[in-house]
Amino acid sequence: MSKAIFPLPLPDNRKIKISDDVLQMLFSFTQDHKNSPESGGILIGRVLDCNAHIVVDHASRPMESDIQTRHRFVRKAAEHQEFFNQIWESSEGRCFYFGEWHTHPETHPTPSAIDKREWRKLLEKSIQDQNQLFFIIVGTTELVVWYGQRQANKDTFLKIGSYKRNEIQY
Ligand SMILES: [Zn+2]
């Protein structure tokens, strides 16, 4: 585990940690060339028995059926669901849908009005009936993690922290 990567605190005092493998994978889709398309996928978490902290150790990559353009990523459910099911089975049901990630071609990413609308939709219709979800936007120098709760004010997403690309150990 790399020293530079610290866990991000949640409002309920639990912490989340994104594994180095997932961080490396997410940053591998950085839109740092003028033609690199927007990418995205789902995040899969696991609650640690010992302290109830959350580790995100799996994330899906863009799939063949997704739509990817410079400023748009549309995730189609089926292949990502299949990815989730495989991890669900191999972890014997000890994982959960944590949220979503996507990229932006900007240094310090912020969610667009469309992003917030999509995130709100996911929260209100969460398949696993979760009251909270997490959303990551991967910018060109850092990725930022936001947290949303069901039935909160529609624009309210709490920024819980960020990971800098140059702190990731390869
Ligand atoms: Zn966006």
Side-chain angles (χ1 to χ4, degrees), residues 38 102-104 112 115 137:
E38 193 168 310
H102 73 283
T103 60
H104 273 190
S112 66
D115 289 335
I137 302 179

Side-chain angles (χ1 to χ4, degrees), residues 125-142:
K125 292 182 184 169
S126 168
I127 14 166
Q128 292 188 342
D129 243 15
Q130 279 157 260
N131 288 320
Q132 56 180 37
L133 289 176
F134 297 85
F135 305 97
I136 291 179
I137 302 179
V138 183
T140 53
T141 62
E142 64 172 358

Side-chain angles (χ1 to χ4, degrees), residues 2-170:
S2 58
K3 291 186 205 79
I5 305 306
F6 46 87
L8 306 176
L10 292 174
D12 63 3
N13 290 327
R14 292 196 296 165
K15 287 180 177 150
I16 65 163
K17 166 94 172 65
I18 302 171
S19 78
D20 288 356
D21 284 352
V22 168
L23 288 170
Q24 283 176 27
M25 191 278 267
L26 297 181
F27 279 114
S28 76
F29 289 98
T30 300
Q31 290 183 269
D32 50 4
H33 296 287
K34 67 176 179 11
N35 295 325
S36 33
E38 193 168 310
S39 296
I42 63 166
L43 301 159
I44 299 175
R46 171 169 66 87
V47 178
L48 298 180
D49 281 339
C50 50
N51 52 19
H53 295 332
I54 299 169
V55 182
V56 177
D57 39 20
H58 295 280
S60 63
R61 295 158 188 262
M63 303 285 184
E64 229 161 83
S65 55
D66 296 333
I67 297 164
Q68 287 186 273
T69 67
R70 177 69 177 164
H71 294 286
R72 192 157 165 252
F73 174 78
V74 181
R75 186 171 73 68
K76 301 287 184 181
E79 286 176 287
H80 295 272
Q81 182 68 52
E82 179 56 31
F83 176 86
F84 180 87
N85 292 348
Q86 280 167 16
I87 291 163
W88 169 267
E89 272 162 36
S90 61
S91 73
E92 296 171 331
R94 293 162 54 82
C95 68
F96 65 95
Y97 168 62
F98 180 80
E100 304 270 330
W101 70 274
H102 73 283
T103 60
H104 273 190
E106 54 182 348
T107 48
H108 304 292
T110 54
S112 66
I114 295 172
D115 289 335
K116 288 184 179 177
R117 206 164 58 218
E118 288 299 315
W119 294 354
R120 187 52 56 198
K121 232 190 270 175
L122 288 162
L123 274 163
E124 303 310 332
K125 292 182 184 169
S126 168
I127 14 166
Q128 292 188 342
D129 243 15
Q130 279 157 260
N131 288 320
Q132 56 180 37
L133 289 176
F134 297 85
F135 305 97
I136 291 179
I137 302 179
V138 183
T140 53
T141 62
E142 64 172 358
L143 66 75
V144 181
V145 186
W146 285 270
Y147 161 83
Q149 275 181 302
R150 189 184 289 229
Q151 286 165 353
N153 181 296
K154 75 176 172 44
D155 285 327
T156 307
F157 292 97
L158 182 67
K159 179 174 166 173
I160 61 169
S162 62
Y163 290 97
K164 301 262 180 296
R165 189 182 184 185
N166 61 11
E167 289 171 343
I168 312 300
Q169 312 241 317
Y170 291 92

